[in-house]
Amino acid sequence: MSTIAAVRPAAGRPLPRGRTATGLFLRELLRRWPSTLFMVAMPGGYFLTVYLLGGDGTVPVALHVDGDADTVQVLDRDAKSVYNAVLGAGVSSAFAALVTIRGSASAMRRLRLMGYRAWELLAARLVVLLVITVLAAGLFALLLLPLIQVRHPLSLFAAMTEIGVLGIALGSLFGTLPMREFEATMAIVALCGLQLAIGRSEDGADAERYLLFTPGVDAVKVSAFSDPAPIAAALGQGLGYAAVLLVLACLVWSRRTRIHSTHPGRHRS
């Protein structure tokens, strides 16, 4: 079905543009079901691989509760598997955003010519990605509960959702930048790998504070290993990071998809 036919009202009555664009991109993502499955399954795969290969010894894990630093002793496999799964969720959601935003460039141009605003098209894609992110976070939380005895399941679900939102924001920004997909993919891998390397190092606590996924990582660790689970501050900080990235992505997206009219008085952007 062509893009024009997909957005044409059946009985001459205009359809809500946001709903139409969301439905169009949902069908596009369903056609790419392997990528969607990858986004849901990758965090679980990271977790299970490290969990099954981890040792039974204990390691110290730094927590930030109410702004104070604390350290708890947890099983080595629990600490490693949770950390790797968190980064798996960030990578998979970032890749999903990158692929979907870069896909169907010609369709984007046609929709812009039909009057769709740039932010409407970007928001429609983000809504679909957010639904998948919430689903993936729920499935991953259910996977963790019986294995590592999570202290606060609802807080863990919120923290994993934030990780996915941060990944979506990162992938959206790189998806709108004028670079090739390979370069954007390598940049995402580098940023996520840097987070993992610094976070897992013994002397990386100070440097980790300045990395993108740190608020979500802190929220996950507190939810899983701490008795009190005050993660509101970490969630707020992470959502602030995501908001900044999404605003930048929207500005770049709007600039790159701007339509210039050659007729006086008919300029539309």
Side-chain angles (χ1 to χ4, degrees):
M1 181 183 297
S2 68
T3 305
I4 302 292
V7 299
R8 182 183 296 144
R13 186 175 63 234
L15 295 176
R17 294 193 298 191
R19 190 179 70 184
T20 302
T22 302
L24 177 66
F25 298 141
L26 178 59
R27 290 192 295 270
E28 174 190 332
L29 199 58
L30 288 176
R31 287 196 297 269
R32 301 184 179 194
W33 64 266
S35 299
T36 306
L37 183 61
F38 172 82
M39 182 178 177
V40 176
M42 184 177 178
Y46 266 51
F47 169 77
L48 287 176
T49 300
V50 179
Y51 183 86
L52 294 175
L53 298 178
D56 294 329
T58 60
V59 294
V61 173
L63 303 177
H64 295 87
V65 180
D66 287 332
D68 298 326
D70 191 13
T71 302
V72 296
Q73 292 287 332
V74 301
L75 289 176
D76 178 65
R77 65 168 179 264
D78 290 353
K80 290 181 178 179
S81 57
V82 166
Y83 219 106
N84 280 271
V86 164
L87 271 300
V91 169
S92 61
S93 58
F95 283 169
L98 174 67
V99 171
T100 55
I101 287 179
R102 283 186 171 270
S104 304
S106 60
M108 295 300 96
R109 297 187 186 94
R110 289 197 292 269
L111 289 173
R112 290 285 282 136
L113 288 170
M114 294 176 65
Y116 283 75
R117 296 183 176 90
W119 69 266
E120 290 176 324
L121 299 176
L122 181 60
R125 289 180 177 271
L126 295 180
V127 167
V128 175
L129 290 170
L130 182 59
V131 170
I132 300 175
T133 295
V134 171
L135 175 62
L139 293 176
F140 181 73
L142 290 176
L143 181 64
L144 260 69
L145 291 180
L147 295 178
I148 67 172
Q149 299 179 348
V150 174
R151 304 290 183 88
H152 302 277
L154 292 180
S155 296
L156 179 71
F157 171 74
M160 287 302 302
T161 301
E162 181 184 72
I163 292 290
V165 171
L166 283 168
I168 288 174
L170 180 65
S172 299
L173 179 59
F174 280 110
T176 56
L177 292 177
M179 62 173 61
R180 289 172 293 185
E181 189 165 324
F182 175 78
E183 296 167 345
T185 300
M186 291 299 100
I188 290 173
V189 171
L191 287 174
C192 293
L194 183 65
Q195 177 92 45
L196 180 61
I198 293 179
R200 291 279 302 278
S201 66
E202 296 181 358
D203 302 322
D206 291 336
E208 189 183 17
R209 291 183 301 169
Y210 304 100
L211 300 180
L212 176 64
F213 290 100
T214 296
V217 172
D218 286 342
V220 170
K221 290 191 296 185
V222 170
S223 300
F225 303 128
S226 175
D227 286 329
I231 63 171
L235 292 179
Q237 183 181 4
L239 292 177
Y241 289 172
V244 171
L245 292 176
L246 289 174
V247 168
L248 291 175
C250 188
L251 292 175
V252 177
W253 175 270
S254 179
R255 179 73 178 178
R256 295 193 66 195
T257 59
R258 178 173 296 178
I259 302 298
H260 297 279
S261 173
T262 58
H263 300 283
R266 294 185 181 181
H267 177 76
R268 181 174 66 242
S269 61

